[in-house]
Amino acid sequence: MLDAALLDDLAGRVGQRWLATDPADTANHAHDWWPRLLMRRRAGEDLPVPDAVVTPGTRGELVEVVRWCDANDVAIVPFGAGTGVCGGAAPVAGAVTVDLKRLNAIGELDEVSGTIVVEPGVIAQTLEDHLAHRGWTLGHFPSSIHCSTMGGFLAIRSAGQASSFYGKLEDMVVALDVVLADGSLFSTRPVPQSAAGPDLTRLFLGGEGTTGIVAGATLRVWPAPAVAVDRGFLVPDVRTGLDAIRAVMRTGLRPTIVRLYDETDTALVFGGQGLEVPQGCLVIIGCEGDEDVAGFTAGVVRRILGEHGAEDLGPEPGANWRAHRHNMSYRFAEYMKPGGTFGDALMLDTMEVAGTWAVLPGLYDDVRAALSEHADLVLAHFSHVYPEGGSIYFTLGAVNDGDEARALDRYDAAWDAGQRAALAAGGTTSHHHGIGLLRAPYLREELGEVGFDVLRRVKDALDPKGLLNPGKLGLGGGGADGA
Amino acid sequence: MPEPRPELPVVADDVAAAAVHGSFCPKMCTFACPVTAATGRDDAVPWSFHRTVSDLAAGRVATDAHAAGHLEACSGCLACRVPCVFDQDVPAQVRAGRAATRAAGSPVRGTEEAVAAVASGRSPYGADRDVEPPRSGTVARTDADVVVVAGCRDDAGDLDALTRLLEAAGRVPTVVVPEGCCGAALADLGAPAEAAAATARLAGRLPDVPLVVATDPHCLPSLRAATGADATVTDVASALAGLLAEGVLRLAGEAVRVAFHDPCLLARAEAVTRPPRLLLAAAGAEVVEPEGHGATTVCSGAGLALELVAPDDARATGEHRARQLTATGVPVVTACAGARRRLADAGVDVRDLASFLAERLPPEPAA
Ligand SMILES: Cc1cc2nc3c(=O)[nH]c(=O)nc-3n(C[C@H](O)[C@H](O)[C@H](O)COP(=O)(O)OP(=O)(O)OC[C@H]3O[C@@H](n4cnc5c(N)ncnc54)[C@H](O)[C@@H]3O)c2cc1C
Ligand code: SF4
């Protein structure tokens, strides 16, 4: 427990109103959106709450808070919107949770350079709406765009649905401002590219708050596309679909949306609309930009898909996807709540892995088989593709007829099996959700002994007292409650 | 789930069930919430109200000042309802939560003062917000065919303008200034019994006419409760647009550019977004659309008694909206007395729709 007199002192940095210590006032920060924590909450467990939640209102106050924590050896858990799915923002005993939502200014749009400056607490859709009103886009469209902060997204190396054209969020970062563990402010220079030594920005993207607190970013933005040309196709199986998509990416053209659904997911997409479920796998490809560019790209896509024996389903599947692209996120509550659609104690999560083209088919088979050992339903789509490979987004669910303990057991077993299968198949354990507490057991194997040691040394150098988000990324310390 | 405590305050089962549901939603409408955007308060995120109300209903948290504190930062603007695929009514849950904490002795801030003010016939918003009666000739007319019910944040000039417009269209308006409140603000504060009593008092004073016009869209639900089934209760923009369509209201004016601030409840609860634009166009105005308009308008902080419960947050919300409106570079017109006051307080050059239009009535022919 943090000492009350000490906390009074902290309150002096931000104002009493912005420091909460009563458990009734810190309960909102007891969990993020890691389904395992939600399942525990649903089971009636009182999740541990943070000892204190502090909400700085300016960058200066954030620096003050971090300096105070450093001076008093108090650990910090950065908290954006608490919608991370790996327990990264889960409280740590004896730590202060630092809520960053008040740092939510959107700075100048530089229309000459095509950049915009944002604070970490900006909700991504708010930024997109701001840009859209001015005729621009960031191009970052994750399913959680309505609820997650830019700081959280940067901290976990997020990816949006248009990543095949715009890249992952980390690819859009022109410059980054970070508050280090001792309270000093580190800012990288807003330049398009540089060869001035290693790219230090990368020490913080994916750091999940363990290496520093993102206090601002300059991001690359684009004029909003004039048109979107979407088309659906049906291919006989996953492998044909992968071959076709790879061939598209090899042309050097970049559709914005590329999605390949496996048979089970395809059945869900068609069945969910009350349509007859076809044999095969659905592919949706969206091409955006000026009319001539999008039209040309869409023409090449059609030709290549045709050469792979795909049936052209026309624009409807794409239009339908756009109209309902966030539906699964909204529907989460319907399934997860007590007495949800599939009864009490549903186990439900997603696992996104990635690999090169050569690895992808085997990665898909192996992870799917591993998850299926423990889950009743496993479905997948491939939704972020790059010239050298792509990611697979698995959804796993299991009905447990009210037995919450069984749900947790199956959850743990499925995750363990799935993550180990991904590593064994030569993939990465996470394409865009990050590590947090959930994947901490697998990061050492992912990075290798030497790689993990490099991470450890970076962490020790940047945060010698181990005060920044202890326990996350498997870096030890903090007694974070991930059990 | 833990056993509910026996002394639980009452949150209706359907409200509690909706709150439980929402408490497992991944905060999907956060982006839409103007109070969250303006204040950064974590407990302004609509999800937080679901959590607080579901925990109150299940007895997982004490019904005390802490819980009441987490039921402050909502302006009732229904922005969260637009993206929500479950059509959740977050303000209804906030009202229920506020009523529960008040019943347990922990009302949200400002409640008892507002209740006392209304009991003594004054505005719940304080003495400086009492409505001045408009021109005496329009009050308590017995030959009226339209009743204009003043909101508790109206001003006499805007009321006057509205009655002049109605008269110009051949109607005979009479103005009713409620004793204190129509009940809406008290319901918002979690005082449902006092709200019902205020609505009943107003009902007793409403003359039996076919058309009732509310100057403040926040009053519409109470006015509907207060009037008989035969009367049509509507807002200023819809009433005037109806007269425009009938051809009995004529407007003319110099070409001018204005931005229209859609009042939240008008745009979202009533789906009224075209009528004010038709009226402005008829009066010669070109409407510049600000960031956030129509169904996705951004709140000025005028609803759910936010200015009483959390004045700083109401101010921040108004200032947030003011920045979007002033970015248009043109004067602003709105159709809600509460919004007009909040925006004016935030430094916006803002006019009431009726006042703007009344200045564009063609001159009366010389007798
Ligand atoms: C329904 C749903 C759909 C999702 N879809 C996607 C998707 O399509 N793509 C995707 O990439 N992700 C997706 N996610 C995951 C989620 O959006 C991301 O994890 C996002 O980063 C969470 O943002 P947040 O603001 O809630 O961060 P939090 O959950 O609050 O924090 C996430 C991590 O970042 C750290 N952190 C937060 N802010 C900062 C900061 N300023 N500086 C340093 N560290 C910080 C926290 O300590 C924590 O470790 C989805 C989540 C949900 C619930
Ligand atoms: S109002 Fe709807 S979208 Fe918003 S938190 Fe509640 S359930 Fe989710």
Side-chain angles (χ1 to χ4, degrees):
Chain A
M1 279 301 274
L2 290 166
D3 178 71
L6 205 59
L7 288 170
D8 271 352
D9 188 39
L10 177 59
R13 321 279 151 150
V14 290
Q16 192 67 53
R17 176 179 177 197
W18 298 106
L19 178 77
T21 53
D22 190 288
D25 299 328
T26 58
N28 273 1
H29 297 79
H31 62 80
D32 59 3
W33 225 257
W34 182 14
R36 195 180 197 287
L37 290 175
L38 292 170
M39 288 158 69
R40 286 170 55 191
R41 191 187 110 195
R42 182 183 62 193
E45 191 179 330
D46 279 332
L47 297 174
V49 297
D51 286 358
V53 176
V54 64
T55 309
T58 63
R59 183 181 288 187
E61 284 185 5
L62 172 62
V63 167
E64 275 288 298
V65 166
V66 176
R67 282 205 185 121
W68 180 93
C69 288
D70 181 46
N72 293 287
D73 291 338
V74 173
I76 291 174
V77 177
F79 191 101
T83 59
V85 288
C86 303
V92 171
V96 169
T97 290
V98 179
D99 189 313
L100 293 148
K101 278 193 290 297
R102 282 178 74 209
L103 302 184
N104 65 356
I106 300 176
E108 193 76 7
L109 167 65
D110 178 345
E111 298 201 13
V112 176
S113 306
T115 60
I116 193 155
V117 177
V118 295
E119 286 195 323
V122 175
I123 301 292
Q125 183 68 52
T126 307
L127 175 61
E128 199 52 51
D129 289 346
H130 178 93
L131 287 166
H133 187 69
R134 290 155 181 81
W136 291 76
T137 182
L138 175 65
H140 185 56
F141 299 100
S143 310
S144 49
I145 186 170
H146 288 181
C147 58
S148 302
T149 67
M150 293 309 298
F153 280 134
L154 289 161
I156 62 130
R157 298 174 68 185
S158 162
Q161 292 160 339
S163 58
S164 300
F165 178 86
Y166 295 102
K168 291 181 77 190
L169 182 59
E170 65 206 71
D171 304 317
M172 307 171 191
V173 177
V174 178
L176 201 66
D177 299 325
V178 182
V179 178
L180 302 180
D182 63 0
S184 48
L185 183 71
F186 166 74
S187 294
T188 57
R189 193 170 279 270
V191 291
Q193 284 294 348
S194 169
D199 183 355
L200 297 181
T201 305
R202 301 267 162 178
L203 293 178
F204 305 98
L205 301 173
E208 303 187 17
T210 64
T211 49
I213 301 178
V214 175
T218 306
L219 302 171
R220 175 202 300 152
V221 292
W222 296 76
V227 296
V229 184
D230 301 329
R231 242 182 150 79
F233 303 90
L234 198 65
V235 292
D237 50 41
V238 163
R239 277 169 168 72
T240 310
L242 287 174
D243 289 345
I245 289 171
R246 187 176 69 242
V248 169
M249 296 307 280
R250 286 268 160 84
T251 61
L253 296 173
R254 289 285 170 271
T256 35
I257 311 293
V258 181
R259 301 175 72 84
L260 162 64
Y261 298 75
D262 75 0
E263 283 88 349
T264 319
D265 212 348
T266 299
L268 206 78
V269 170
F270 281 85
Q273 297 170 66
L275 300 174
E276 194 186 327
V277 175
Q279 284 285 315
C281 297
L282 174 67
V283 177
I284 293 175
I285 301 195
C287 306
E288 297 176 8
D290 286 346
E291 205 164 333
D292 52 351
V293 175
F296 179 76
T297 310
V300 173
V301 166
R302 274 176 88 171
R303 174 178 59 75
I304 292 176
L305 267 288
E307 285 166 6
H308 284 78
E311 181 189 340
D312 188 342
L313 301 177
E316 288 82 30
N320 182 63
W321 173 78
R322 273 190 203 272
H324 303 289
R325 63 201 287 186
H326 302 308
N327 264 22
M328 270 309 286
S329 302
Y330 278 94
R331 297 228 165 265
F332 184 87
E334 203 175 0
Y335 308 133
M336 268 309 253
K337 68 179 180 181
T341 314
F342 301 100
D344 280 326
L346 179 75
M347 183 271 266
L348 180 67
D349 204 350
T350 59
M351 180 187 292
E352 19 64 65
V353 298
T356 54
W357 291 117
V359 159
L360 267 181
L363 184 64
Y364 167 71
D365 288 343
D366 293 357
V367 174
R368 187 164 180 276
L371 294 175
S372 301
E373 290 282 308
H374 307 282
D376 299 331
L377 180 73
V378 178
L379 46 95
H381 59 260
F382 302 72
S383 51
H384 308 270
V385 297
Y386 311 97
E388 61 284 346
S391 91
I392 318 173
Y393 190 89
F394 289 97
T395 299
L396 49 146
V399 173
N400 297 293
D401 301 323
D403 187 343
E404 294 282 8
R406 178 160 183 259
L408 285 177
D409 285 348
R410 295 178 82 185
Y411 182 89
D412 293 341
W415 265 93
D416 193 54
Q419 292 282 275
R420 292 195 188 288
L423 288 167
T428 176
T429 51
S430 175
H431 175 259
H432 59 260
H433 284 165
I435 302 297
L437 296 170
L438 169 62
R439 288 183 165 104
Y442 314 103
L443 190 59
R444 186 182 289 270
E445 190 178 339
E446 164 106 25
L447 300 180
E449 282 304 325
V450 178
F452 195 78
D453 189 47
V454 170
L455 177 64
R456 167 91 270 154
R457 286 195 231 179
V458 167
K459 165 76 173 170
D460 288 346
L462 287 171
D463 179 20
K465 295 181 181 174
L467 297 179
L468 293 180
N469 216 1
K472 313 297 165 65
L473 298 190
L475 288 168
D481 177 38
Chain B
M1 307 294 285
E3 284 297 306
R5 286 205 259 96
E7 76 280 15
L8 283 183
V10 180
V11 173
D13 287 350
D14 57 335
V15 176
V20 170
H21 177 116
S23 77
F24 282 85
C25 167
K27 314 179 181 180
M28 287 301 288
C29 57
T30 305
F31 77 100
C33 175
V35 186
T36 307
T39 66
R41 276 181 74 155
D42 184 72
D43 62 0
V45 173
W47 170 81
S48 175
F49 297 111
H50 294 315
R51 198 195 64 76
T52 301
V53 174
S54 64
D55 281 356
L56 276 173
R60 276 190 297 272
V61 296
T63 317
D64 61 7
H66 288 286
H70 295 298
L71 295 167
E72 286 180 350
C74 176
S75 68
C77 73
L78 294 175
C80 48
R81 200 172 194 170
V82 175
C84 178
V85 299
F86 296 106
D87 200 25
Q88 286 263 7
D89 188 344
V90 173
Q93 290 170 34
V94 175
R95 281 186 205 100
R98 288 178 177 179
T101 62
R102 179 165 186 256
S106 296
V108 288
R109 282 189 280 172
T111 304
E112 300 316 319
E113 294 85 340
V115 167
V118 173
S120 63
R122 303 193 67 80
S123 159
Y125 288 93
D128 64 325
R129 296 274 148 120
D130 276 335
V131 180
E132 291 167 52
R135 286 177 296 146
S136 57
T138 58
V139 180
R141 283 181 76 147
T142 48
D143 56 342
D145 60 4
V146 184
V147 180
V148 173
V149 181
C152 45
R153 294 167 292 188
D154 255 310
D155 81 21
D158 295 338
L159 280 172
D160 243 14
L162 177 56
T163 55
R164 276 193 288 125
L165 286 160
L166 292 167
E167 283 165 355
R171 295 303 168 104
V172 184
T174 186
V175 177
V176 171
V177 181
E179 286 165 15
C181 177
C182 65
L186 298 182
D188 287 345
L189 286 162
E194 291 86 345
T199 306
R201 272 201 304 280
L202 174 62
R205 296 184 49 222
L206 287 180
D208 189 15
V209 296
L211 186 64
V212 178
V213 180
T215 59
D216 187 328
H218 297 96
C219 307
L220 284 165
S222 334
L223 298 196
R224 290 195 179 114
T227 51
D230 295 342
T232 300
V233 177
T234 192
D235 61 279
V236 171
S238 301
L240 295 178
L243 298 173
L244 190 72
E246 277 178 41
V248 292
L249 177 64
R250 283 184 201 85
L251 299 163
E254 281 174 33
V256 56
R257 298 176 82 221
V258 295
F260 184 69
H261 165 72
D262 289 280
C264 303
L265 294 191
L266 197 58
R268 286 190 274 264
E270 305 289 325
V272 173
T273 55
R274 242 172 88 74
R277 288 170 172 78
L278 290 174
L279 289 160
L280 288 167
E286 180 196 336
V287 177
V288 178
E289 298 294 6
E291 186 173 352
H293 56 265
T296 56
T297 184
V298 178
C299 184
S300 65
L304 218 70
L306 186 66
E307 14 181 345
L308 297 174
V309 177
D312 290 347
D313 297 331
R315 188 175 323 113
T317 307
E319 287 166 0
H320 174 69
R321 181 55 171 160
R323 283 191 287 279
Q324 294 174 329
L325 292 171
T326 44
T328 60
V330 295
V332 175
V333 176
T334 191
C336 164
R340 191 191 60 72
R341 281 193 183 260
R342 292 230 57 79
L343 294 173
D345 288 352
V348 177
D349 173 9
V350 56
R351 306 288 314 278
D352 175 72
L353 179 67
S355 287
F356 180 88
L357 297 176
E359 282 169 13
R360 284 154 180 81
L361 282 171
E364 285 183 31

